[in-house]
Amino acid sequence: MAFTLEERLQLGIHGLLPPCILSQDVQVLRVLRNYEMRKDDLDRYIFLMALQDRNEKLFYKVLTSDIERFMPIVYTPTVGLACQQYGLAFRRPRGLFIAIHDRGHIATLLKSWPETDIRAIVVTDGERILGLGDLGSYGMGIPVGKLALYTACVGVNPQQCLPVMLDVGTNNEELLKDPLYIGLKHKRIRGQAYDDLVEEFMEAVTERYGQSCLIQFEDFGNTNAFRLLNKYRNKYCTFNDDIQGTAAVAVAGLLAALRITKNKLSDHKFLFQGAGEAALGIAELIVLAMEKEGIKRQQALSRIWMVDSKGLIVQGRANLTEQKLQFAHPHSEVRNLADVVQDVKPTAIIGASAIGGAFTEQIIKDMASFNKHPIIFALSNPTSKAECTAEQCYRLTEGQAIFASGSPFNPVTMPCGKVLHPGQGNNAYIFPGVGLGVIACGMRHIHDEIFLIAAEVLAEQVLEEHLAEGRLYPPLNTIQTVSRILAVKIAEYAFKNGMASVYPEPEDKQALINSFIYNTNYDDFVIDSYTWPEEASKIQTVKI
């Protein structure tokens, strides 16, 4: 409907459309009107995904028109519900599905994808989708949603993005019995066959798209996530968002919180509820940040305590993984989180366990009794898995707590009339900007220092007025600006430290980043040779 009369004549579609001509802005208005008529968030998700399928430019025009409004629909928390209902919501395949039985043929499968210039891939095996567990092929909603944010938040060209599902089966009995399930209906295959599939995938991607193709691992189970990250981080251009992206956004929140507590990171004592990918990733980056402050690694490790499903992680406890063992300290075994809080008296508690309500009223009150400004991060997704709500945290600490969450919470009005805006520690503040910075300068490997830089840059974007409102992150409506600043800083660091492969080094890194930004407006093109109808003889350009 945006084609002009002259364009319709040139394309031979005059009469096939209603005579009215609607600009893209009016089309956005029509989408918004339809969106408002949807009955619930899942219906809104399905509506937006259908728009993405039929008109990608308009889809991103809508998303970027009010990203704060639409991000909770295309990403957390609604994407979690969409994954659970993926068989019901499935309309049209999006992305590449690679099954365990495709071993030996992955290179051929990649050739089935119509685009040859792929710069960013998000891949999952669906074993640990958010805090929802094993969703198998239903987890494809996560790579699709993540890559939508690559474009909406920072402007990576969607044609250069590829979502991938590695389907090795599922251990979810409900899905195995679900007639609508779209994946392999057998138990998860592990061991050498699994490793061979991932190895072949990594090699095939690099062979087809180049060493600088970014491969982002997403929502793998704990054991595979750490193992695959350690195996491939120095061999391919890859990172794990659940481990490293979550770490960066959490540390950014902590760095911003230091402007309220008026001290250093190494002055704090951290207690984690959970010791999985997210918690261990955050802890490792906190240690790196403390070392940057000037303290030794062992001293930094002593400031971090962890509670997993078996209680406090202490020295002498059996069957601790290598990642957990470094955070094991001399202490008697304690099972209950509330008792651990009483014993350790942390200045900050960080929830990454997907146990809804784990931060009880007593725990929150105890935190307030130990600290003038207790740091309380309830980072688990989706909202139902949050360790506490923003309102619980603020009211039980009389507004003194420094709060952040993984899912969005509404502003809280305190009895005194002050309105507090809880900060959402959303990975979308990190991975799109890191991704574009990596892509733009052609990085071959991504070190942890990149994520510490990302955390520092994000924290710098938090203004004093934001802190006064209770925010530890910039407002979501500024995420495009924040992400592009982050991308520029990543590019500058890469070139300065010999990590970039683009040659010659561009003098203006901002211009380099801008050259990759996707334009959501309808494109123009010029036809060099065409027999023009008389009515369109003076036309030079056509919108598509």
Side-chain angles (χ1 to χ4, degrees):
M1 292 290 289
F3 289 116
T4 65
L5 173 60
E6 294 83 1
E7 292 167 348
R8 296 175 190 204
L9 288 168
Q10 182 180 351
L11 294 171
I13 58 173
H14 182 49
L16 301 181
L17 294 171
C20 183
I21 296 168
L22 301 181
S23 70
Q24 192 181 27
D25 289 337
V26 174
Q27 291 179 342
V28 169
L29 178 62
R30 180 168 59 188
V31 170
L32 295 178
R33 291 276 181 89
N34 275 280
Y35 179 87
E36 289 161 1
M37 294 168 62
R38 305 293 145 172
K39 61 182 179 181
D40 56 39
D41 284 348
L42 180 59
D43 202 22
R44 296 181 186 103
Y45 172 89
I46 294 171
F47 172 73
L48 288 177
M49 291 304 104
L51 176 62
Q52 186 181 19
D53 284 338
R54 71 176 184 270
N55 190 334
E56 201 161 50
K57 288 269 187 179
L58 187 58
F59 170 76
Y60 286 111
K61 190 79 168 179
V62 169
L63 251 60
T64 54
S65 71
D66 191 349
I67 200 161
E68 190 167 9
R69 178 184 186 185
F70 295 113
M71 187 182 290
I73 303 299
V74 300
Y75 191 45
T76 55
T78 307
V79 72
L81 177 61
C83 286
Q84 290 176 303
Q85 302 290 330
Y86 210 70
L88 185 65
F90 191 80
R91 300 291 187 274
R92 178 180 172 183
R94 176 169 285 273
L96 198 61
F97 292 83
I98 300 174
I100 186 73
H101 311 303
D102 293 319
R103 280 179 300 158
H105 307 287
I106 294 179
T108 303
L109 284 184
L110 289 177
K111 291 177 182 177
S112 300
W113 191 253
E115 300 293 338
T116 57
D117 182 19
I118 297 297
R119 305 293 183 90
I121 289 174
V122 175
V123 59
T124 187
D125 70 355
E127 186 172 6
R128 194 205 59 84
I129 299 298
L130 303 176
L132 302 170
D134 187 347
L135 296 185
S137 269
Y138 278 2
M140 180 55 121
I142 297 296
V144 170
K146 290 276 185 176
L147 288 171
L149 295 187
Y150 262 78
T151 303
C153 294
V154 78
V156 176
N157 189 329
Q159 294 178 342
Q160 296 177 341
C161 298
L162 174 58
V164 175
M165 162 58 63
L166 297 179
D167 190 345
V168 298
T170 177
N171 292 337
N172 187 321
E173 292 292 342
E174 290 184 14
L175 295 184
L176 292 175
K177 297 174 185 176
D178 182 359
L180 299 180
Y181 182 57
I182 63 174
L184 295 176
K185 292 192 175 182
H186 58 62
K187 295 284 188 179
R188 282 190 170 272
I189 292 176
R190 303 189 185 277
Q192 193 61 48
Y194 178 93
D195 287 354
D196 289 346
L197 179 77
V198 177
E199 181 73 26
E200 184 183 346
F201 168 73
M202 299 296 284
E203 290 177 357
V205 163
T206 305
E207 178 68 25
R208 180 156 176 81
Y209 304 124
Q211 183 67 44
S212 297
C213 179
L214 172 61
I215 305 170
Q216 176 177 325
F217 281 76
E218 195 70 45
D219 287 354
F220 283 70
N222 286 351
T223 304
N224 284 330
F226 285 107
R227 190 171 59 84
L228 294 175
L229 176 61
N230 292 331
K231 182 177 181 179
Y232 293 124
R233 67 193 309 167
N234 296 319
K235 188 176 179 182
Y236 298 101
C237 180
T238 185
F239 72 94
N240 185 301
D241 187 49
D242 303 299
I243 298 172
Q244 295 163 290
T246 301
V249 77
V251 170
L254 294 173
L255 294 176
L258 296 181
R259 288 155 60 185
I260 299 173
T261 59
K262 308 295 184 184
N263 54 12
K264 298 184 299 182
L265 208 57
S266 51
D267 294 326
H268 287 268
K269 187 185 294 183
F270 300 91
L271 174 62
F272 285 83
Q273 165 61 20
E277 297 167 48
L280 290 166
I282 296 167
E284 284 284 4
L285 201 62
I286 289 174
V287 169
L288 192 63
M290 286 185 185
E291 288 181 295
K292 195 169 182 178
E293 286 182 346
I295 72 170
K296 295 191 180 298
R297 179 176 176 81
Q298 201 56 45
Q299 187 181 353
L301 289 169
S302 71
R303 309 295 295 170
I304 298 172
W305 296 74
M306 288 193 166
V307 174
D308 63 9
S309 59
K310 297 179 181 178
L312 185 64
I313 294 176
V314 296
Q315 288 182 2
R317 213 182 84 179
N319 300 319
L320 288 176
T321 65
E322 183 180 346
Q323 287 86 9
K324 291 182 181 181
L325 189 60
Q326 61 185 332
F327 298 106
H329 307 306
H331 195 282
S332 58
E333 293 193 16
V334 185
R335 295 278 302 183
N336 186 275
L337 178 62
D339 294 336
V340 175
V341 170
Q342 283 282 356
D343 284 357
V344 174
K345 292 182 171 51
T347 59
I349 53 174
I350 300 173
S353 63
I355 300 175
F359 295 166
T360 62
E361 179 176 335
Q362 187 60 51
I363 288 173
I364 295 171
K365 285 183 175 179
D366 284 346
M367 287 295 295
S369 71
F370 308 146
N371 307 285
K372 181 179 179 181
H373 293 293
I375 298 172
I376 300 175
F377 283 10
L379 299 181
S380 293
N381 281 312
T383 310
S384 62
K385 302 293 184 180
E387 286 75 13
C388 67
T389 67
E391 185 166 4
Q392 289 168 338
C393 182
Y394 287 137
R395 293 198 184 281
L396 292 172
T397 63
E398 299 180 352
Q400 294 304 299
I402 302 172
F403 178 81
S405 60
S407 291
F409 284 104
N410 291 327
V412 177
T413 303
M414 300 300 295
C416 63
K418 183 177 180 180
V419 179
L420 294 172
H421 297 261
Q424 185 190 359
N426 195 321
N427 288 30
Y429 281 114
I430 297 295
F431 68 81
V434 168
L436 181 56
V438 167
I439 291 167
C441 64
M443 288 179 63
R444 302 291 176 86
H445 310 291
I446 307 171
H447 304 300
D448 283 339
E449 288 79 5
I450 293 293
F451 292 95
L452 183 55
I453 290 166
E456 292 169 346
V457 172
L458 178 56
E460 289 169 2
Q461 306 310 307
V462 182
L463 307 178
E464 290 300 323
E465 63 197 64
H466 298 149
L467 294 174
E469 294 175 338
R471 301 181 191 269
L472 293 180
Y473 301 97
L476 272 175
N477 59 19
T478 67
I479 196 167
Q480 287 178 305
T481 301
V482 170
S483 296
R484 288 168 190 174
I485 291 172
L486 200 160
V488 172
K489 295 294 185 183
I490 296 296
E492 289 175 347
Y493 179 86
F495 280 107
K496 182 179 179 180
N497 291 275
M499 301 165 68
S501 65
V502 171
Y503 184 84
E505 177 182 345
E507 188 172 321
D508 188 343
K509 308 303 188 295
Q510 181 70 63
L512 172 68
I513 295 300
N514 289 345
S515 69
F516 282 84
I517 303 300
Y518 175 70
N519 186 352
T520 59
N521 295 324
Y522 293 143
D523 294 331
D524 292 338
F525 72 98
V526 177
I527 295 181
D528 295 326
S529 177
Y530 185 79
T531 303
W532 299 84
E534 184 178 348
E535 303 95 321
S537 60
K538 296 181 181 179
I539 305 305
Q540 297 297 317
T541 62
V542 176
K543 287 192 177 75
I544 57 170

